[in-house]
């Protein structure tokens, strides 16, 4: 039987590949983004208790009402907004699913979507599987700041959406106040454009900067799907739990798709998260916790010839190996995993063209001993 592929140019994701290679070569895995330390025992206990208490059947398709209410309280306080948990929030199977469901909700064949590269690997397939056309804009290296003049030049009557991602995976760049001003004035002129905002790293933002969530800006929030992740916030990426926030009318369309996609998300986890959300410190302390790891890793990497490209958010930092080798980044990353026992992500994976700036992405959401051991391996004879 021949299946005509909807994604003929897509292979296995670089994250899966590198994690497989890491396991195969017994390497320290700083590739795929996930913590190697324990998540909150209290939150685990809450899930266990929720299961024991019988929360094991389908919860509401849109998400447990109490969880949505608590999330609304959280974002309304943090981002000074007026989100309604009943109508504006849907619990999703992680942030990636939230993005996919949002794009599937809005895209018609032939619609154009502005995407900034380097881009998280799911965006382009999400657009293409829906018959959309990605319009790519390269963020200039090494600042990775948005070239707004180019964005203006690439808007056409077919532009349906712009995807933004702050803090950005993989660069660690974050939106600045002037980006918001640019976005507001641009979208004022283009009534038809929806914003799809990937904010899964909202709490992983460093150097005392506030996270400029799209939810803070009423004119932008009125036309946005904003996607979040519990996995990043509570160190449980394997739970695949997230949520999407949008104005009620937009969210109603999102839910039409979602109810025939995942339908709903795990019940006991939602009961537990609703309770755990009352603990504000669990997310408010995250910036300093992760910043410490970034700084520790940077310190450890001083013994190596790799040069950091500063990260201002997320749990990734990119390092240049231009002083070490001229090899293409994928080959160089292969060499590191095999010869040094350290797995990383080659940055060219985040560009459709395979643009290679001799950069590697490292995940520093790891125990200090893991980070120290990886740096030590990289220091020896590179
Ligand atoms: N978000 C994680 C990363 O960027 C991994 C996601 C995945 O494996 N699909 O590394």
């Amino acid at each position: 039987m021949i299946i005509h592929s909807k994604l003929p140019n897509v292979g296995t994701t670089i994250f899966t590949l590198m994690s497989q290679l890491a396991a195969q070569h017994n390497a320290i895995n700083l590739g795929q983004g996930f913590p190697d330390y324990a998540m909150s025992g209290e939150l685990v206990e809450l899930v266990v208790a929720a299961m024991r208490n019988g929360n094991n059947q389908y919860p509401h398709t849109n998400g447990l009402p109490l969880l949505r209410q608590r999330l609304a309280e959280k974002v309304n306080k943090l981002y000074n907004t007026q989100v309604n948990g009943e109508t504006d929030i849907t619990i999703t199977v992680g942030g990636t699913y939230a993005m996919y469901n949002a794009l599937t909700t809005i895209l018609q064949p032939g619609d154009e979507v502005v995407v900034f590269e380097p881009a998280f690997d799911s965006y382009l397939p999400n657009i293409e599987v829906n018959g959309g056309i990605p319009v790519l804009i390269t963020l200039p290296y090494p600042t990775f700041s948005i070239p707004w003049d180019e964005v203006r030049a690439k808007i056409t009557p077919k532009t349906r959406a712009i995807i933004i991602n702050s803090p950005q995976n993989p660069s660690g760049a974050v939106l600045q106040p002037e980006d918001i001003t640019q976005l507001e004035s641009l979208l004022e002129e283009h009534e038809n454009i929806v914003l799809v905002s990937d904010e899964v790293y909202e709490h992983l933002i460093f150097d005392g900067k506030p996270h400029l969530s799209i939810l803070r800006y009423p004119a932008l929030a009125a036309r946005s799907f904003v996607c979040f992740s519990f996995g990043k916030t509570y160190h449980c990426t394997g739970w695949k739990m997230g949520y999407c926030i949008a104005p009620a009318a937009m969210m109603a369309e999102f839910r039409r798709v979602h109810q025939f996609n995942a339908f709903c998300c795990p019940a006991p986890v939602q009961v537990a998260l609703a309770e755990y959300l009352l603990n504000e410190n669990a997310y408010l302390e995250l910036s300093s916790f992760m910043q410490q790891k970034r700084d520790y890793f940077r310190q450890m990497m001083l013994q190596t010839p790799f040069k950091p490209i500063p990260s201002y958010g997320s749990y990734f930092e990119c390092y240049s190996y231009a002083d070490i080798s001229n090899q293409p980044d994928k080959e160089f990353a292969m060499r590191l995993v095999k010869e040094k026992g350290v797995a990383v992500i080659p940055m060219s994976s985040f560009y459709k063209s395979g643009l290679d700036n001799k950069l590697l992405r490292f995940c520093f959401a790891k125990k200090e001993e893991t980070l120290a051991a990886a740096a030590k391996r990289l220091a020896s004879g590179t």
Side-chain angles (χ1 to χ4, degrees):
M1 173 69 75
I2 295 180
I3 307 283
H4 293 287
S5 179
K6 287 200 149 181
L7 295 171
N9 302 317
V10 162
T12 306
T13 84
I14 187 71
F15 308 116
T16 305
L17 282 178
M18 289 314 292
S19 282
Q20 260 170 10
L21 279 174
Q24 214 173 309
H25 294 278
N26 213 6
I28 299 172
N29 191 355
L30 304 189
Q32 191 177 32
F34 63 87
D36 75 340
Y37 43 83
M39 64 172 296
S40 153
E42 187 189 337
L43 181 49
V44 170
E45 289 309 319
L46 286 170
V47 178
V48 173
M51 284 187 180
R52 292 222 166 99
N53 291 336
N55 295 286
N56 299 306
Q57 309 310 328
Y58 299 125
H60 195 284
T61 175
N62 299 335
L64 190 79
L66 182 63
L67 177 58
R68 287 186 279 128
Q69 182 196 318
R70 297 249 162 97
L71 283 171
E73 286 161 12
K74 172 188 170 181
V75 297
N76 287 343
K77 187 167 167 192
L78 269 184
Y79 301 131
N80 190 25
T81 180
Q82 277 151 15
V83 166
N84 177 330
E86 183 59 33
T87 54
D88 309 352
I89 302 181
T90 298
I91 307 300
T92 62
V93 189
T96 305
Y97 172 100
M99 294 291 291
Y100 173 77
N101 206 80
L103 288 163
T104 302
T105 301
I106 57 183
L107 291 181
Q108 304 287 345
D111 282 350
E112 293 178 357
V113 182
V114 172
V115 180
F116 300 107
E117 287 192 318
F120 184 60
D121 72 339
S122 67
Y123 301 162
L124 298 193
N126 285 182
I127 295 164
E128 283 163 359
V129 86
N130 282 298
I133 300 163
V135 175
L136 302 174
I137 294 180
T138 305
L139 299 175
Y141 169 59
T143 60
F144 298 105
S145 52
I146 297 177
W148 288 104
D149 288 343
E150 193 181 339
V151 181
R152 282 175 188 278
K154 288 203 166 151
I155 301 286
T156 76
K158 291 194 143 196
T159 310
R160 186 68 182 116
I162 299 177
I163 298 180
I164 52 169
N165 171 213
S166 179
Q168 212 234 10
N169 178 8
S171 70
V174 298
L175 286 181
Q176 303 298 320
E178 51 275 23
D179 292 312
I180 300 291
T181 312
Q182 290 276 2
L183 199 51
E184 283 175 333
S185 78
L186 177 73
L187 293 186
E188 223 175 68
E189 298 159 26
H190 298 279
E191 279 183 357
N192 247 346
I193 299 180
V194 175
L195 210 52
V196 182
S197 183
D198 178 347
E199 302 188 13
V200 298
Y201 299 102
E202 64 177 325
H203 296 301
L204 309 182
I205 182 158
F206 312 132
D207 311 311
K209 293 221 171 93
H211 169 56
L212 302 188
S213 173
I214 289 307
L215 295 177
R216 292 180 189 267
Y217 309 97
L220 295 178
R223 58 202 302 165
S224 299
F225 289 101
V226 188
C227 302
F228 297 95
S229 163
F230 292 108
K232 311 297 188 290
T233 301
Y234 295 127
H235 317 294
C236 50
T237 61
W239 285 13
K240 287 301 299 172
M241 287 289 291
Y243 52 102
C244 183
I245 300 184
M250 288 169 66
M251 187 44 78
E253 289 303 320
F254 181 99
R255 289 171 171 179
R256 284 196 204 213
V257 177
H258 166 70
Q259 67 181 340
F260 298 115
N261 200 357
F263 179 66
C264 68
C265 296
V269 174
Q270 295 192 56
V271 172
L273 285 168
E275 178 68 23
Y276 200 65
L277 264 175
L278 295 174
N279 177 2
E280 292 186 353
N281 284 340
Y283 52 84
L284 295 179
E285 286 167 358
L286 207 54
S287 284
S288 67
F289 171 82
M290 209 57 90
Q291 180 173 333
Q292 243 172 323
K293 293 199 176 292
R294 178 199 64 174
D295 295 346
Y296 179 80
F297 184 55
R298 213 183 268 172
Q299 185 68 28
M300 288 292 115
M301 287 292 277
L302 287 177
Q303 62 186 303
T304 78
F306 293 86
K307 298 270 164 9
I309 311 304
S311 166
Y312 301 97
S314 79
Y315 46 43
F316 304 114
E317 187 153 71
C318 296
Y319 283 74
S320 167
Y321 65 91
D323 293 346
I324 308 171
S325 168
N326 250 334
Q327 249 183 325
D329 65 355
K330 285 189 174 146
E331 279 174 32
F332 191 74
M334 287 302 221
R335 223 179 84 196
L336 286 188
V337 73
K338 287 182 189 158
E339 295 173 17
K340 300 281 173 201
V342 179
V344 297
I345 304 292
M347 274 285 264
S348 65
S349 318
F350 300 105
Y351 295 89
K352 187 168 187 175
S353 67
L355 178 68
D356 180 3
N357 285 317
K358 310 288 174 231
L359 293 176
L360 302 171
R361 190 198 76 173
F362 291 75
C363 173
F364 54 77
K366 308 288 171 187
K367 294 179 212 151
E368 287 196 350
E369 66 211 62
T370 310
L371 298 172
K376 196 168 156 211
R377 289 184 182 191
L378 294 174
S380 67
T382 11

